[in-house]
Amino acid sequence: MEFGGGRKIRRSRRIEVETSYPSPLQFYSCPPTGNVSLTEFDEMAIERLKILRTVERLNLSGQVKSSDDWMNKLYDDFAKNKNFVHSAEKISSSKRDEVEAARRRDHVSHFILRLAYCRTEDLRRWFIAHETDLFRARFIHCSRNGSDIKNFMLNNNLHFTPISAEEVQKERENLVGGTYNINSGDMMEGRTFYKL
């Protein structure tokens, strides 16, 4: 039996960050395409699992999720993993390939663990809970750079209208009461609220 007969034509395909991974945040709505070696597959799964175990460890430590201390410890751990893009910084042209590869690894590794953790309901719940916390942490981190959030919302067809400063002042008490981990003193500093 012969599979794929004839000679194979190897084509190099370059994925541009602007078109495939324009934001450090992803909804993982489309499965990845392309080839991944078995070694790379294994490495990506282990990297992602370490990240999710860090999220789990921090959640079990009794710290408030998404608090400054929780976020600092999580991002300190991220810094140890050079293959995981977590930064909201602008991409310099010299780092474009590095960021592209890291965002691809993030995308592929999510789907690898998604497959691995779909066997039982308990595993699914564990995976979803920690991926949600990871997404929340990355979203909060990226929200410090408004353009990353705008790009993410635009690329995922999320059309929400930001509320004006006057409306924020008018609804200040309700916004403080309905927003997690915020006090009225720092509400205006770098925060954007959207109408839903």
Side-chain angles (χ1 to χ4, degrees), residues 117-154:
Y117 279 79
C118 72
R119 293 176 299 182
T120 68
E121 186 62 33
D122 289 340
L123 289 174
R124 270 192 297 275
R125 260 191 244 119
W126 183 91
F127 178 73
I128 290 169
H130 294 93
E131 279 285 337
T132 302
D133 290 340
L134 177 61
F135 179 84
R136 181 181 300 119
R138 293 171 77 185
F139 187 88
I140 291 168
H141 186 75
C142 286
S143 68
R144 295 176 185 153
N145 179 355
S147 64
D148 279 337
I149 296 300
K150 288 176 187 170
N151 287 339
F152 171 73
M153 290 174 66
L154 183 67

Side-chain angles (χ1 to χ4, degrees), residues 14-23 85 89-105 151:
R14 179 172 167 75
I15 300 171
E16 292 296 327
V17 173
E18 291 85 2
T19 56
S20 294
Y21 304 110
S23 169
V85 170
E89 298 169 4
K90 295 288 183 202
I91 302 168
S92 67
S93 58
S94 63
K95 289 192 165 193
R96 189 167 303 279
D97 290 339
E98 185 181 318
V99 170
E100 174 187 322
R103 287 181 179 174
R104 178 184 168 272
R105 289 177 77 84
N151 287 339

Side-chain angles (χ1 to χ4, degrees), residues 33-83:
T33 58
N35 296 324
V36 176
S37 71
L38 190 55
T39 305
E40 191 180 17
F41 185 93
D42 188 45
E43 288 170 0
M44 285 191 267
I46 290 169
E47 285 171 12
R48 188 67 169 220
L49 189 56
K50 284 180 183 177
I51 289 165
L52 294 180
R53 293 282 185 205
T54 299
V55 171
E56 179 184 42
R57 188 181 75 246
L58 288 172
N59 289 345
L60 294 174
S61 70
Q63 295 179 1
V64 177
K65 287 182 191 179
S66 304
S67 67
D68 289 338
D69 191 36
W70 189 92
M71 293 282 288
N72 289 338
K73 288 183 179 180
L74 183 64
Y75 275 84
D76 287 345
D77 200 69
F78 285 172
K80 297 173 191 171
N81 187 345
K82 301 296 181 202
N83 293 318

